[in-house]
């Protein structure tokens, strides 16, 4: 009898399953056409799974953070010395509080202090782990926070690594549980097992920077609660240093005596006492600018002492101001230095001694930078900025491959934009991609026989093929979001959001027009020269560009979907006539393209009804079925209000198999909604005509479940749903 009944094409590499990959292709035989599904199961080691659940770019020495701010030599020395002494003091010193909170307003240099301290502690071998939160990319994802700390610990504690490898190999879901469960199973329990074995686990510091940039306030407070509870229970040997703004909810989390008694709190204020350090930072920065151009001999006369003094006064204690000034001037050749310098100094000279907000000069500098963006690229620049805002994105905002092709921004246009805004935006170019010699770069990605493992690694390569883009500092993000500060450059106004919506619709129609449907697949429209011709920023070969094109097409409509968490805040306040146009999109092609990208099988962490990564998805040919993983997150009333809004704007229409999308179907929907029952359901159509798909949802408040599916074939999908309603996702 086979060890793996029903399996075929079994490949086992090596004898240690914890460290090797086992790939099994199973074909389930069943009478229903949707249940004959090839499924790929891949076993990874526990450490591999932990790594995938972590955020490597959040570490102190991550390549993505090569240009992270750190303290210039001779600045912030007392703060650095105090934190280092606290972190390295003997664990027997009971006078040392186990929690350190450096608080302060935006732009005073908290992250630079955190980075410098973490670098020094890592070099001396004292650092246990570090996580640098950011509004950019995955570094704001709280679900990856404790897995990241655990992975970093596993790189320095071999016995801990073995324990956690075993635990995750036994239960792969440990990395997907709540933060408190992650902390207990990934950090507390392995360390306790080490101690029970008699292993010495010494006291070491963990650095957490930018907690206020974590994606949700509730998660920020929960992190503080988990850490302080651990300290009180003595369940971990760490000292925790947290750097953040003084946001009200964070202040309240540190306020209770049971927390404050464990914590040493230090304020890094906006203070003119930092003027001397800012002057030192400016002089060093200008010298570096000249040194890179072999002009260091001019440093005694440029800038002048008076100009330096004016910059120091304008900074008013905010390190973000001189940092932005230096980046702004550094993008010019020496011949343009003086003009740029004077342009920055001019509003400073004119401000006089009038009372202004602490950020007035910084805002004036940001305004100057944007005023210098040429009019013909300003609108594209603002759309690019809007796509970077965490409140209005779908998690892909830092990959230029996605953001530029979604907005129709070419490489030439992007580089033109970047030339003008590099003082506030960081652009990281990737190395040229390399591919296995068995891949035919002249053929479409979808026409080649690739393993699931190969596809997974290629997805990472493809999304990064044009590099990443991030804000240099969160203060610029704050500026863009506040119309009182940024005025006409604010990107969150309803006018800007409507422009963004219109651009996405145009791009969707463009990409949809390049495909035709063949069965349950999308193929390029006959006569199309190549996928590259359809992209605003192609990579250059059909293998990569066919994937980029399909991925871009899918992500446009995905970002405008009710399932996407960002769509509700984005659409708030937009006129109904703008939202009505979403009914014109090609939902049919979009669903087929999505299935081609993702493949057939069961997938975790799907967005569902506006809840982030809260669903499990089952994908069959022509259909996607999603169940809400945790029903406690579901609010029936909020959901029904959302459905009504989608219907009132014409994005969806009630559908009945007997009456279609007629008035009778709408009446039946109303009657069904009014039934006194714990179970409610709805059947609708997204889109019109041959561009439409069916959307069915069902929930039961007593049995506590929510399910939905989207399909191009309602009868087959409903038959499958009824047969496999409670088992298809297992």
């Amino acid at each position: 009898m086979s060890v793996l009944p029903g399996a075929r094409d079994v490949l086992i590499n090596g004898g240690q399953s914890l460290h090797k990959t086992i790939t099994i292709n199973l074909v389930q035989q069943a009478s229903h056409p949707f249940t004959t599904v090839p499924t790929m199961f891949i076993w990874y080691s526990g450490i591999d799974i932990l790594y995938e659940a972590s955020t490597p770019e959040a570490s102190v020495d991550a390549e993505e953070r090569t240009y992270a701010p750190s303290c210039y030599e001779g600045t912030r020395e007392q703060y650095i010395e105090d934190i280092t002494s606290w972190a390295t003091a003997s664990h027997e010193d009971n006078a040392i509080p186990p929690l350190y909170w450096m608080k302060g307003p935006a732009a005073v240099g908290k992250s630079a202090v955190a980075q410098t301290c973490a670098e020094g502690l890592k070099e001396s071998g004292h650092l246990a782990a570090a996580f640098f939160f950011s509004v950019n990319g995955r570094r704001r994802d709280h679900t990856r926070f404790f897995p990241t700390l655990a992975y970093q610990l596993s790189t320095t504690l071999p016995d801990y690594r073995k324990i956690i490898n075993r635990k995750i190999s036994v239960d792969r879901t440990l990395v997907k549980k709540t933060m408190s469960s992650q902390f207990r199973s990934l950090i507390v329990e392995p360390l306790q097992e080490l101690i029970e074995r008699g292993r010495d686990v010494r006291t070491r510091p963990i650095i957490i920077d930018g907690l206020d940039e974590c994606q949700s306030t509730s998660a920020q407070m929960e992190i503080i609660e988990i850490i302080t509870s651990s300290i009180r229970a003595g369940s971990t040997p760490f000292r925790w240093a947290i750097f953040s703004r003084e946001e009200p909810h964070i202040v309240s989390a540190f306020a209770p005596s049971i927390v404050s008694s464990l914590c040493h709190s230090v304020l890094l204020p906006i203070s003119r006492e930092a003027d001397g350090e800012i002057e030192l930072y400016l002089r060093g920065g200008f010298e570096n600018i000249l040194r890179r151009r072999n002009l260091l001999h001019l440093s005694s006369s440029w800038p002048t002492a008076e100009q330096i003094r004016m910059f120091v006064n304008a900074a008013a204690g905010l390190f973000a101001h001189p940092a932005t000034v230096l980046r702004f001037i550094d993008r010019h050749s020496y011949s343009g230095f003086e003009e740029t310098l004077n342009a920055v100094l001019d509003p400073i000279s004119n401000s006089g001694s009038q009372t202004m907000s602490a950020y007035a000069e910084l805002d004036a500098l940001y305004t100057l930078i944007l005023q210098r963006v040429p009019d013909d690229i300003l609108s594209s620049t603002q759309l690019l900025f809007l796509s970077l805002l965490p409140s209005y994105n779908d998690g892909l905002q830092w990959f230029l491959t996605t953001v530029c092709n979604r907005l129709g921004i070419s490489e030439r246009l992007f580089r033109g934009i970047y030339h003008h805004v590099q003082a506030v935006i960081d652009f990281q170019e990737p190395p040229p991609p390399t591919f296995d010699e068995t891949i035919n770069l002249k053929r479409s990605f979808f026409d080649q026989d690739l393993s699931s493992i190969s596809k997974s690694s290629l997805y990472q390569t493809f999304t990064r093929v044009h590099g990443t883009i991030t804000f240099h500092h969160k203060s610029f993000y704050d500026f863009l979001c506040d119309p009182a500060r940024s005025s006409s450059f604010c990107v969150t106004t309803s006018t800007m959001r409507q422009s963004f919506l219109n651009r996405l619709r145009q791009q969707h129609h463009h990409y949809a027009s390049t495909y035709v449907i063949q069965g349950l697949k999308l193929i390029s429209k006959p006569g199309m020269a190549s996928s590259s011709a359809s992209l605003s920023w192609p990579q250059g070969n059909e293998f990569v560009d066919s994937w980029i094109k399909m991925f871009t097409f899918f992500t446009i409509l995905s970002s405008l979907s009710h399932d996407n968490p960002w769509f509700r805040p984005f659409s708030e306040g937009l006129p109904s006539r703008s939202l009505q146009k979403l009914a014109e999109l090609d939902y049919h092609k979009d669903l087929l393209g999505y299935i081609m990208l993702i493949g057939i099988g069961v997938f975790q962490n799907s967005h569902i009804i506006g809840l982030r990564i809260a669903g499990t998805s089952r994908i069959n040919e022509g259909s996607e079925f999603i169940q809400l993983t945790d029903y406690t997150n579901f609010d029936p009333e909020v959901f029904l209000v959302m459905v009504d809004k989608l219907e009132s704007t014409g994005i969806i229409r009630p559908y009945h198999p007997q009456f279609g999308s007629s008035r009778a179907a709408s009446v039946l929907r109303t009657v069904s909604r009014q039934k006194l029952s714990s179970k409610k359901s709805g059947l609708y159509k997204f889109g019109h005509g041959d561009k439409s798909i069916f959307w069915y949802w069902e929930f039961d408040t007593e049995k506590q479940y929510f399910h939905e599916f989207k399909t191009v074939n309602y009868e087959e999908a409903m038959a499958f749903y009824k047969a496999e309603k409670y088992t298809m996702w297992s």
Side-chain angles (χ1 to χ4, degrees), residues 631-652:
Y631 184 81
T632 59
N633 293 323
F634 180 61
D635 186 328
E637 294 304 317
V638 171
F639 171 73
L640 293 175
V641 168
M642 181 194 73
V643 173
D644 288 341
K645 182 176 181 179
L646 290 172
E647 185 178 350
S648 65
T649 54
I651 298 174
I652 61 174

Side-chain angles (χ1 to χ4, degrees), residues 75-94:
T75 65
R76 301 303 199 193
E77 290 180 323
Q78 189 60 57
Y79 291 108
I80 296 167
E81 181 182 341
D82 290 347
I83 294 171
T84 303
S85 297
W86 165 85
T88 57
S90 169
H91 70 279
E92 297 176 353
D93 189 345
N94 295 326

Side-chain angles (χ1 to χ4, degrees), residues 133-315:
F133 281 104
S134 171
V135 293
N136 300 300
R138 297 192 306 178
R139 287 166 54 200
R140 63 192 179 94
D141 187 350
H142 64 275
T143 67
R144 293 176 170 271
F145 174 63
F146 286 119
T148 301
L149 298 186
Y151 184 81
Q152 291 182 28
L153 290 172
S154 76
T155 64
T156 59
L157 298 172
D159 291 334
Y160 170 90
R161 182 182 181 90
K162 292 176 183 177
I163 294 170
I164 202 168
N165 185 59
R166 184 192 71 237
K167 285 174 66 69
I168 299 175
S169 297
V170 171
D171 184 357
R172 299 157 60 92
T173 68
L174 292 181
V175 298
K176 298 299 183 183
K177 295 187 181 296
T178 63
M179 283 201 295
S180 59
S181 293
Q182 287 179 343
F183 182 71
R184 182 176 60 255
S185 59
L186 301 180
I187 296 178
V188 174
E189 291 175 357
L191 290 173
Q192 288 179 341
E193 185 173 335
L194 281 181
I195 293 171
E196 290 169 1
R197 293 181 184 179
R199 300 288 196 274
D200 180 34
V201 183
R202 61 191 176 96
T203 300
R204 293 194 296 166
I206 291 178
I207 303 291
I208 304 167
D209 178 58
L211 180 62
D212 54 283
E213 299 189 38
C214 177
Q215 65 190 5
S216 79
T217 57
S218 60
Q220 295 167 25
M221 296 179 71
E222 186 179 357
I223 287 171
I224 296 171
E225 169 60 26
I226 290 171
I227 290 171
T228 54
S229 295
S230 167
I231 292 172
R232 291 195 299 272
S235 61
T236 58
F238 305 121
R239 289 185 180 139
W240 304 82
I242 297 175
F243 298 73
S244 78
R245 296 186 187 184
E246 290 183 283
E247 301 293 357
H249 60 280
I250 295 180
V251 172
S252 67
F254 278 103
S257 59
I258 58 172
V259 177
S260 60
S261 62
L262 304 170
C263 180
H264 179 58
S265 178
V266 174
L267 174 66
L268 190 62
I270 298 176
S271 171
R272 299 309 297 262
E273 292 181 5
D275 282 3
E277 295 184 344
I278 289 176
E279 179 178 347
L280 184 64
Y281 175 74
L282 279 165
R283 290 190 181 280
F286 281 120
E287 284 185 6
N288 287 335
I289 289 174
L290 293 172
R291 182 180 291 108
R292 284 192 289 272
R293 293 161 175 80
N294 199 27
L295 297 171
L296 190 58
H297 60 282
L298 300 175
S299 61
S300 60
S301 59
W302 186 89
T304 66
E306 176 60 18
Q307 288 171 328
I308 291 287
R309 184 193 65 78
M310 292 177 68
F311 280 128
V312 171
N313 286 336

